[in-house]
Structures are given as C-alpha cells and as structure tokens.
C-alpha cells in the first residue's frame, strides 16, 4: 500500500496537520494512524475511583482519537505567549497567525468562542505575588468544561474521517528510507503488522511515543538534543484555597525574580470548581511500567458526600545532582520504582516539607484531608525521598513563595503554616522527557521527508501549541504536493 502522507498520532497536532493538508491540497491521500482507541472508548478506571490496570497495554489517558483532549475531561487552551519557545522557532508574525488559526479550528465545533481569561489581572493579584518576588505570566486562556472536549473531538472526527484513511489501534513501529519513499511498519494487532510506503511522514505521537519516536529518529540518523528535565509533585487541596486566583488566571504560571532556585507551577487546576488528578500509564516506555500524574480543571463536577471538591497544581524544579538528562531520568524513575513500585503515592504537606514519613496508611491519610481526594488509587509513602536534597530545597522554597502568594491574594487569613495538614502531596510529576530532534521552521527534519510536531518535537507543550506545529507542517507538505502536481 502506498500513501502520499502518513500521520502518526490523532491528537491535536496530527488532527490539525491533516486539516491543514486537506485545506491547502484537497484530495491528498492521507493515512492517519492512532495507536489508541476511538474517542468514545477511552474510559479511565482511575477517574472512576478504581485501580489503574493499564487498559490492556493502551493507556486511554494518553492514547486515542483526540489525544490530550480526553472525552469527558476538562481542558485548557493557552495561547501565546504560553509556549513562548515556539515564537523564535516559527518566527514571531507567523507564530501569531498559527496561534490564531489553531484556536479558531479547535473551538469551531463548539459554535462559540470561549471566554479568554488570564490577561486582565487585578492589582490585588499582581501585588500579592510581587510581595514574594514573583510575577504572574499573563496570556489568554480558554477553559473547556467536561462536556466541551466531547463536542470538539466529535467535530474533528466528522470533519476528517470521511476524507482520510483512519486506522485506530494501529501504531507506527518502524520507518526506513527506500529510494524516494519511506517504508513503514505498522502494528495493527498483537501479532499483526502491515507495510505501508509513503512520500511524507508526520510524527505526532505525543506522550504515547515518548521514547519510541526518539528511537525511530535515531535509527534514521536524525540528530537529537537531550531535553531539560523537570521533576516535581502535584499538590491537592480544598477548592477554596485556589478558587480566587484560579478565577483570574486558569493556567497560573509565574516568573521568579531574584531567586536562584528555579521552580515553576505546572497544569494549574484551581478554578471555582476545582480540578481532579488522573494518572498516565507509560506501559514499557521506560522499561518496566511507570505511572505519572495528569491534572484537569473541572467546571461541571459536583461534590460527592460531605467533603468539598479538590483543586490542584503541579510544582516542578529542574533536576539537580543526577548527571545528564538520560542519567537524571533513569535515576528518578529508579528511585520511584524503589519507593512506590512506579505507581503514584502521597504524603501530607507537613511530612513532605519536613522530610518526615507519614505513619498513616493511605485510607488514614485520606481521612485526615478536609476535602475529597480525586484519586483513590494511591498509597501513602515518603514522596520527599524522590528528590535530591537540592531538588527538595528548591521545591520547598518555591512552594512557600507560590502558595504564600495565593493565600495572600485569597484573603482567607491563612498562611502556609496554617495549611500544612490540609494539603496532599502526590508524586511524581515529570516534564520534558522528549529529546529535541533537529527540525526547521516547518517542523521538517532536514534531508528526510519527515516532520515532527507536538510534544514529540520537545519545544513546547499544550493543545494550541501542538496544533500550531501541526498546521505549519501540514502547509509545508501541501505545498510540496501542489508543486509535484504542477510538474
């Protein structure tokens, strides 16, 4: 079988790439591969209070049609300058146009333009963070409620499915040069492989391909640069603590002024209705099974029982004292497996900050919290021991600055010391595990008919940012298609 274009991955990057090609070059023969399941068949047992089973080798949180837009979960669309590393890569004017187009395409199925927050901060918010030498990064953010992604994903499916050849539960496992074409091997079943040749290959594999895509590129001789890896935790607490600042900036991030210890917030889920934590199962991507955390803001969830809803945010620092990026990643994961078997675990904030183990079991720790934890598939353990002394010092100091600013802004009459027993620390969080392949401004690998887009490019994360790269690559592929047709 021969296809003009094969796109591996049906997340925001791959879907936007397919649309860009079809918009500029209608009738292009496209094969869209998705390693996961159809969008209506992506339930997560952890989201229902059950144990992560791995879902028969395909994690429904990180695999499936829609990618990081998960059916039934909230999502955030953060616009430039969020993902600011894309601006020098794409060019400022072009990046702005791509961002505008990506946002329009992503919200089109809703039939409305979502409200954008995060740019009009009150002086009270600015002052509260400035007092801790922090500056809030202002950029527009749209929040999807839990029902919105279902509408958006269905819209993308209805648009693309009639115009592309869509293979689901089909994973690209190899690619080789063969004359002017690429010869691909696609796994379509436990013991079934198919061969496909193509003129252009777009790798939009996201978290599912966190290591396999890098391995594939290396086999093709593509230079890659080791990533900057950050490690950290997710902190869960009653919704009231994060409600005020979350209402002003749904994707709260800060720049630190005058601090040598660089700590950042990540995937802030603290609006008026809080957020929930899920887990991502990387299966054998790092050898043995490894699970990490995944946060989602919620707008439609209602409390179950008497305890209030939870909210959460991730806190990350750069790895310290672990060698290069690969050594650091392996060191961290090895420690995680030793402490918790590679599955998320929790500790009270007081225990984490003081590096004193909680004696409680998970049911006992859970019962002590003044909110309903959103993940029940946890164990209690020394989360602080995941980190070197330098990393722990950075996270501790960074948390006090960040949380101190949040509490000052909320005007609840509370300090950080007042909430030490009311916050759950869940680990681990990991960011930027992708090697950075050599790609040009169109996300094309020099000398090969291959584009790398979305998280796989190792430049920036986010739904809008992935779609931006997908559109840039799609337009380049379409231009080549038109040129070839005109010869």
């Amino acid at each position: 079988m021969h296809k003009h274009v094969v796109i591996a991955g049906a997340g925001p990057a791959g879907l936007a790439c397919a649309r860009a090609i079809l918009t500029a070059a209608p009738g292009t023969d496209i094969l869209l591969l998705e390693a996961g399941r159809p969008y209506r068949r992506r339930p997560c047992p952890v989201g229902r209070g059950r144990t992560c089973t791995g879902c028969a080798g395909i994690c429904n949180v990180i695999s499936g049609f829609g990618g990081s837009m998960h059916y039934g979960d909230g999502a955030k669309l953060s616009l430039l300058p969020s993902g600011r590393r894309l601006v020098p890569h794409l060019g400022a004017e072009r990046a702005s146009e791509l961002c505008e187009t990506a946002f329009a395409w992503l919200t089109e199925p809703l039939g409305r333009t979502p409200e954008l927050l995060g740019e009009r901060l009150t002086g009270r918010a600015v002052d509260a963070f400035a007092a801790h030498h922090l500056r809030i990064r202002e950029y527009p953010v749209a929040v999807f409620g839990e029902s919105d992604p279902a509408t958006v994903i269905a819209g993308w499916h209805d648009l693309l499915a009639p115009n592309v050849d869509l293979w689901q539960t089909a994973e690209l496992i190899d690619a080789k040069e063969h004359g002017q074409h690429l010869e691909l091997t696609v796994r379509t079943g436990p013991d079934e492989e198919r061969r496909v040749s193509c003129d252009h290959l777009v790798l939009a594999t996201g978290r599912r391909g966190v290591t396999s895509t890098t391995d594939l590129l290396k086999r093709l001789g593509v230079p890659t640069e080791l990533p900057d890896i950050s490690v950290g935790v997710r902190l869960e607490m009653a919704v009231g603590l994060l409600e005020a600042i979350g209402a002003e900036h749904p994707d709260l991030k800060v720049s630190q002024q005058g601090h040598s210890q660089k700590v950042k917030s990540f995937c802030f889920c603290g609006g008026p209705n809080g957020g929930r934590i899920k887990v991502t199962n990387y299966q054998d991507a790092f050898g043995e099974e490894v699970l990490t955390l995944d946060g989602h803001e919620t707008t439609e969830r209602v409390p179950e029982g008497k305890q209030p809803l939870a909210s959460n945010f991730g806190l990350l620092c750069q790895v310290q004292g672990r060698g290069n990026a690969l050594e650091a990643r392996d060191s961290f994961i090895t420690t995680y497996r030793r402490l918790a078997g590679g599955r998320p675990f929790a500790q009270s904030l007081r225990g984490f900050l003081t590096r004193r183990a909680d004696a409680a079991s998970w049911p006992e720790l859970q019962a002590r919290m003044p909110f309903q934890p959103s993940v029940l598939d946890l164990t209690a353990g020394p989360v602080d021991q995941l980190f070197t002394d330098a990393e722990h010092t950075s996270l501790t100091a960074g948390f006090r600055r960040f949380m101190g600013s949040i509490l000052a802004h909320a005007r609840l009459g509370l300090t950080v010391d007042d909430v030490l027993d009311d916050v759950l620390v869940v680990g681990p969080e990991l960011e930027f595990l992708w090697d950075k392949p050599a790609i040009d401004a169109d996300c094309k690998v020099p000398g090969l008919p291959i584009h790398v887009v979305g998280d796989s490019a190792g430049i920036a994360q986010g739904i809008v940012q992935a779609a931006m790269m997908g559109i840039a690559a799609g337009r380049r592929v379409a231009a080549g298609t038109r040129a070839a047709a005109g010869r």
Side-chain angles (χ1 to χ4, degrees), residues 33-44:
L33 303 175
E34 172 49 53
R37 302 177 176 90
Y39 66 95
R40 292 181 182 273
R41 293 178 53 205
R42 295 178 58 189
C44 175

Side-chain angles (χ1 to χ4, degrees), residues 145-369:
E146 291 91 313
S147 59
D148 289 334
T151 302
V152 171
I153 299 167
W156 279 95
H157 188 272
D158 292 346
L159 175 70
L160 294 177
N163 299 296
V164 304
D165 195 0
L166 173 61
W167 293 2
Q168 297 183 117
T169 61
E171 184 168 17
L172 175 69
I173 58 174
D174 199 14
K176 296 179 181 178
E177 291 184 89
H178 185 76
Q180 298 298 312
H181 307 299
L182 292 170
E183 294 289 339
L184 312 181
T185 303
V186 180
R187 181 185 294 120
T188 54
D191 301 305
E192 181 182 354
E193 295 180 357
R194 297 183 67 175
R195 302 290 188 270
V196 181
S197 65
C198 66
D199 300 318
H200 301 275
L201 172 63
V202 180
L203 298 173
T205 50
R207 287 180 285 177
R208 168 77 181 193
V210 64
T211 55
S212 59
T213 298
T214 296
D215 293 341
L216 172 61
L217 291 170
K218 287 180 177 178
R219 290 197 300 272
L220 289 165
V222 178
T224 62
E225 177 185 345
L226 291 176
D228 296 324
I229 293 180
S230 296
V231 296
V233 294
R234 188 157 288 272
L235 297 113
E236 190 166 46
M237 59 202 74
V239 68
L241 297 181
L242 304 184
E243 178 179 2
I245 192 62
E248 289 197 42
H249 199 315
D251 192 30
L252 181 65
K253 291 184 175 68
V254 299
S255 296
Q256 304 189 60
Q257 300 169 314
H259 301 295
S260 59
Q261 301 159 327
K262 299 300 181 185
V263 177
K264 57 186 176 182
S265 60
F266 178 71
C267 192
F268 188 87
C269 303
N273 205 44
R276 67 174 181 178
I277 302 173
K278 297 174 70 174
V279 302
T280 59
N281 191 321
Y282 284 96
Q283 313 290 345
D284 60 354
F286 305 109
E288 300 174 26
E289 183 183 68
V290 167
L291 279 65
T292 62
L293 305 175
D294 192 56
H296 295 268
E297 186 159 348
T298 56
T299 64
E300 303 165 21
R301 190 173 48 139
V302 296
E304 297 179 7
K306 298 180 180 179
Q307 290 183 303
L309 292 173
S311 56
N312 67 83
F313 62 85
L315 199 67
L316 297 161
C317 69
Q318 287 193 333
V319 294
Q320 300 174 60
R322 298 179 186 266
N324 67 29
L326 288 179
E327 292 168 339
R329 184 193 73 189
D330 291 345
S331 167
F332 189 82
I333 290 175
T334 297
T335 303
Y336 178 32
R337 288 195 179 113
R338 175 175 58 81
L339 291 172
R343 302 179 72 89
F345 60 134
Q347 185 177 22
S348 73
L349 176 60
R350 184 183 297 277
F352 180 82
L353 295 181
T354 60
R355 306 205 89 164
R356 294 178 181 173
D358 288 302
S361 65
W362 166 240
E364 292 170 326
L365 181 59
Q366 176 187 0
R368 282 161 39 189
M369 294 295 123

Side-chain angles (χ1 to χ4, degrees), residues 359-438:
S361 65
W362 166 240
E364 292 170 326
L365 181 59
Q366 176 187 0
R368 282 161 39 189
M369 294 295 123
F371 59 91
Q372 177 59 54
S374 57
V375 178
L376 303 182
D377 182 24
L378 295 173
T379 57
V383 179
D384 64 282
Q385 295 302 310
L386 284 169
F387 307 99
T388 65
D389 289 343
E391 291 162 357
H392 184 264
T393 297
S394 293
L395 289 169
T396 298
F399 171 78
R400 286 191 171 276
R401 290 191 296 269
F402 189 66
M403 194 68 202
S405 303
I406 290 171
L407 292 174
H409 169 262
R411 295 182 178 177
L412 297 173
L414 298 172
T415 68
V416 172
D417 288 335
D418 294 325
V419 300
L420 295 184
D421 297 309
D422 299 335
V423 175
L424 196 63
V425 181
V426 189
E429 280 277 10
L430 289 150
E431 186 193 34
F432 277 106
L433 298 175
W434 295 268
D435 284 18
K436 302 173 189 176

